[in-house]
Amino acid sequence: FQYYSQLVTSVDLPNYAAGVIKSGFFGVIVAGAGCLRGIESGNSAAAVGLSTTSAVVTSITAIIALDAVFAFLLTALGI
C-alpha cells in the first residue's frame, strides 16, 4: 500500500499521459520496422534471421532518437 500511495503522489497526469503517448509512438516504430524489414526479407531461413536482427536494430535506433525528441519537447513544455 505504501508503494501505491507514493506512486500516486509522485506521478501526475501530464507525466502519465506523456508516457502513454510515447508508448504508442514506440509501438508504431517497432511495428513499422518489423513490417519494412519483413517485406525486404529473402526466402531463406538465414535471410529471415538477418531481417529480424535488422528490424531490432532499426527499432532500437529509432526509439532512442524519438525518445530524445520527446525529452526535448516535454522539457520545453515543462512537463
Side-chain angles (χ1 to χ4, degrees):
F1 183 73
Q2 180 184 3
Y3 171 79
Y4 179 74
S5 64
Q6 288 180 354
L7 177 71
V8 170
T9 58
S10 64
V11 178
D12 54 352
L13 185 60
N15 285 332
Y16 180 78
V20 170
I21 291 168
K22 283 171 53 173
S23 66
F25 278 97
F26 295 160
V28 169
I29 286 176
V30 171
C35 289
L36 175 68
R37 299 303 179 204
I39 289 171
E40 294 175 344
S41 180
N43 294 330
S44 67
V48 172
L50 290 174
S51 294
T52 302
T53 302
S54 178
V56 169
V57 170
T58 301
S59 296
I60 291 172
T61 305
I63 286 172
I64 290 171
L66 185 61
D67 195 35
V69 171
F70 270 118
F72 177 77
L73 290 175
L74 294 174
T75 301
L77 293 173
I79 297 176

